[in-house]
């Protein structure tokens, strides 16, 4: 563990491997880092000045541990990295008297029904949605609306429990799958809108939303993994027409206002259907998946992790500081493999020296059991690559990832 004395003490919830890049950035910014994670071996602890062992997903576990630390070494701000816990961040901030979102705003951001009901009241475009209490309700909606649905938990994350459902599909299974992945056992359906999907990242300053990051999400394996929705990467900058991108930015600002975020960061999932954007979800936090920590800085020069930290510490940001400094093609691709047991993991140096590769990471060890791909956690490796053109960055990322060929035996 790194030990040093710095000026501002920042609590970061989450010390996973996806948080490491953000923690490295915060160290460079000069903060004294307090990292909280349930895993004593969390890699983020290697960058921390202080460690708190506690589950960031359970306020009853996290808050007492934080309060004990705070009583001895006062904390100046709190944020999260690579974990969907703005409601926990808000409660810690409220308890310690620190800057942060209102608890009611953070709670709305992790409850998909509460969020979309607020959007609907404020006329923020969203796909048709409905909370359902039974399989019969789903069948009735399928018949009445004659459309494909996405069935999902009201309060889960990382696309866990999410599936597509057509009229000919297994509604019983879809309902049960969503319910078992919901902490509160609540299920919702949402109209499946075909069209390009966008990942966004936005900093909100006194209600003004600056969105330097719009990435075209890659879903090339939708049919292969049906009925699951498994993303395998994204490309920046977006290839959508400028007028559509402007509509998306305006939509995100209106959605952030509706959600109640006056100062903070929001991560958006947007779908464009028949030329019009709709909000799928808007999270009141930074993204995971190496998006805010790696892809956005590589593509735009904007460091939203730094923005989030400054907001958490109560600093007043200036909008002009968070617009893109440049636009460079950057593509991310996630490695998906067939299920089985890992018997060989290749050396990564061959991938790191591939054309255009800026970052590569895998999380495989011999003996690992690989299950069927069902959600965003299915990948076993990630690469980010650049190029002179968008197409070249895509080809560089895909070529590099294809060179990473672990041996997996069916079980």
């Amino acid at each position: 563990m790194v030990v040093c004395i710095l000026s501002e003490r920042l609590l970061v919830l989450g010390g996973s491997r996806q948080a490491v890049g953000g923690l490295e950035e915060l160290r460079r910014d000069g903060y004294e880092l307090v990292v909280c994670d349930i895993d004593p071996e969390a890699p983020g602890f290697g960058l921390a000045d202080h460690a708190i062992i506690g589950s960031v997903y359970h306020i009853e576990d996290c808050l007492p541990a934080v309060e004990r630390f705070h009583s001895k070494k006062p904390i100046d701000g709190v944020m999260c990295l690579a974990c969907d816990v703005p409601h926990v961040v808000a409660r810690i901030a409220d308890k310690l008297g620190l800057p942060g979102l209102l608890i009611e705003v953070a709670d709305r951001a992790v409850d998909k029904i509460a969020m979309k009901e607020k959007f609907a009241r404020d006329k923020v475009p969203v796909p048709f949605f409905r909370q359902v209490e039974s399989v019969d309700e789903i069948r009735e909606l399928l018949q009445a609306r004659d459309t494909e649905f996405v069935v999902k938990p009201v309060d889960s994350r990382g696309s866990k429990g999410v599936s597509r459902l057509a009229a000919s599909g297994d509604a019983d299974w879809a309902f049960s799958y969503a319910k078992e992945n919901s902490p509160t056992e609540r299920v919702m359906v949402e109209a499946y809108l075909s069209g390009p999907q966008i990942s966004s990242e936005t900093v909100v300053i006194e209600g003004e939303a600056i969105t330097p990051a719009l990435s075209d999400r890659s879903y090339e394996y939708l049919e292969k993994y049906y009925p699951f929705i498994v993303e395998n990467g994204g490309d920046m900058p977006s290839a959508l027409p400028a007028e559509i991108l402007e509509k998306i930015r305006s939509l995100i600002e209106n959605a952030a206002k509706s959600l109640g975020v006056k100062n903070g960061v929001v991560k958006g999932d947007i779908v464009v259907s028949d030329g019009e954007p709709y909000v799928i979800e808007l999270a009141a936090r930074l993204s995971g998946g190496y998006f805010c920590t790696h892809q956005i800085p590589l593509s735009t020069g904007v460091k939203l992790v730094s923005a989030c930290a400054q907001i958490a510490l109560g600093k007043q940001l200036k909008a002009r500081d968070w617009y893109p400094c440049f636009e460079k093609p950057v593509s991310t691709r996630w490695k998906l493999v067939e299920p089985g047991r890992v018997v060989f993991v290749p050396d990564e140096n061959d991938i790191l020296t591939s054309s255009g590769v800026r970052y590569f990471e895998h999380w495989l060890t011999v003996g690992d059991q690989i299950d069927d791909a069902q959600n965003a956690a299915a990948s076993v490796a990630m690469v980010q690559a650049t190029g002179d053109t968008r197409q070249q960055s895509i080809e560089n990322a895909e070529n590099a990832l294809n060179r990473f060929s672990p041996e997996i035996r069916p079980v």
Side-chain angles (χ1 to χ4, degrees), residues 216-261:
D216 295 330
R217 305 176 79 168
S218 177
Y219 285 104
E220 63 180 290
Y221 299 125
L222 273 183
E223 298 310 313
K224 177 178 180 177
Y225 294 114
Y226 188 91
F228 305 109
I229 302 173
V230 182
E231 182 179 3
N232 72 298
D235 306 301
M236 290 182 66
S238 172
L240 291 175
E243 60 269 23
I244 298 294
L245 297 179
E246 192 53 42
K247 284 184 178 182
I248 292 173
R249 292 187 180 95
S250 178
L251 173 64
I252 292 168
E253 180 164 279
N254 291 336
K257 288 178 181 177
S258 175
L259 196 62
V261 179

Side-chain angles (χ1 to χ4, degrees), residues 156-216:
S156 188
R157 58 191 68 86
S159 67
K160 293 178 181 177
V162 178
S163 67
R164 291 168 61 186
L165 179 67
S168 59
D170 189 342
D172 290 277
W173 172 84
F175 180 80
S176 297
Y177 179 60
K179 187 174 181 179
E180 70 188 21
N181 280 280
S182 167
T184 58
E185 298 187 337
R186 291 182 295 153
V187 178
M188 65 181 290
V189 296
E190 179 179 274
Y192 178 77
L193 300 183
S194 61
Q197 291 197 30
I198 300 291
S199 285
S200 69
E201 199 102 355
T202 299
V203 56
V204 184
I205 304 170
E206 294 298 324
E208 180 183 356
I210 299 94
T211 302
L214 294 170
S215 175
D216 295 330

Side-chain angles (χ1 to χ4, degrees), residues 9-310:
R9 190 171 290 132
L10 180 65
L11 170 62
V12 179
L13 304 187
S16 70
R17 57 179 170 77
Q18 290 193 23
V20 166
L23 292 170
E24 289 174 339
E25 182 178 326
L26 294 172
R27 284 208 66 80
R28 290 192 294 269
D29 286 345
Y31 299 116
E32 182 178 352
L33 295 181
V34 185
V35 175
C36 181
D37 199 285
I38 190 62
D39 180 8
E41 302 300 319
F45 286 144
L47 291 157
D49 298 285
H50 313 279
I52 297 176
I53 306 297
S55 172
V56 299
Y57 289 99
H58 299 89
I59 188 66
E60 67 277 7
D61 184 41
C62 185
L63 182 56
V66 169
E67 286 186 293
R68 286 192 295 271
F69 180 92
H70 181 71
S71 67
K72 299 174 183 177
K73 297 187 177 187
I75 293 165
D76 299 311
V78 55
M79 60 180 283
C80 59
L81 268 176
C83 54
D84 188 12
V85 291
H87 56 310
V88 178
V89 171
R91 282 170 170 79
I92 292 173
D94 181 72
K95 186 69 174 180
L96 303 187
L98 302 174
L101 295 176
L102 294 174
I103 290 174
E104 65 182 51
V105 172
D107 284 351
R108 191 181 299 135
V110 294
D111 185 308
K112 295 175 178 62
I113 287 293
M115 175 195 300
K116 293 194 173 181
E117 286 178 342
K118 185 66 164 62
F119 287 162
R121 288 196 299 271
D122 293 338
K123 295 183 171 33
V124 175
V126 294
F128 167 85
F129 69 95
R130 182 78 54 82
Q131 184 169 338
V132 292
E133 305 296 334
S134 68
V135 177
D136 287 340
E137 282 189 60
I138 295 180
R139 292 195 179 102
E140 290 171 5
L141 286 168
L142 281 168
Q143 187 173 28
R145 298 192 65 87
D146 189 28
T147 187
E148 185 176 6
F149 282 118
V150 176
V151 184
K152 61 173 70 173
V154 171
D155 50 357
S156 188
R157 58 191 68 86
S159 67
K160 293 178 181 177
V162 178
S163 67
R164 291 168 61 186
L165 179 67
S168 59
D170 189 342
D172 290 277
W173 172 84
F175 180 80
S176 297
Y177 179 60
K179 187 174 181 179
E180 70 188 21
N181 280 280
S182 167
T184 58
E185 298 187 337
R186 291 182 295 153
V187 178
M188 65 181 290
V189 296
E190 179 179 274
Y192 178 77
L193 300 183
S194 61
Q197 291 197 30
I198 300 291
S199 285
S200 69
E201 199 102 355
T202 299
V203 56
V204 184
I205 304 170
E206 294 298 324
E208 180 183 356
I210 299 94
T211 302
L214 294 170
S215 175
D216 295 330
R217 305 176 79 168
S218 177
Y219 285 104
E220 63 180 290
Y221 299 125
L222 273 183
E223 298 310 313
K224 177 178 180 177
Y225 294 114
Y226 188 91
F228 305 109
I229 302 173
V230 182
E231 182 179 3
N232 72 298
D235 306 301
M236 290 182 66
S238 172
L240 291 175
E243 60 269 23
I244 298 294
L245 297 179
E246 192 53 42
K247 284 184 178 182
I248 292 173
R249 292 187 180 95
S250 178
L251 173 64
I252 292 168
E253 180 164 279
N254 291 336
K257 288 178 181 177
S258 175
L259 196 62
V261 179
K262 185 178 180 181
N263 289 288
V265 293
V266 292
K267 190 270 181 200
D269 295 337
I270 311 296
V271 60
V272 179
S273 184
D274 293 328
E276 295 299 326
Y278 298 80
V279 178
I280 299 175
E281 291 175 18
L282 194 74
R285 57 169 174 83
L286 291 166
S287 60
Y290 306 90
F291 188 42
C292 70
T293 55
H294 293 72
Q295 187 172 15
I296 295 171
L298 278 174
S299 180
T300 69
V302 177
K303 298 180 178 180
L304 290 173
V305 173
S306 178
C308 185
Q310 291 180 52

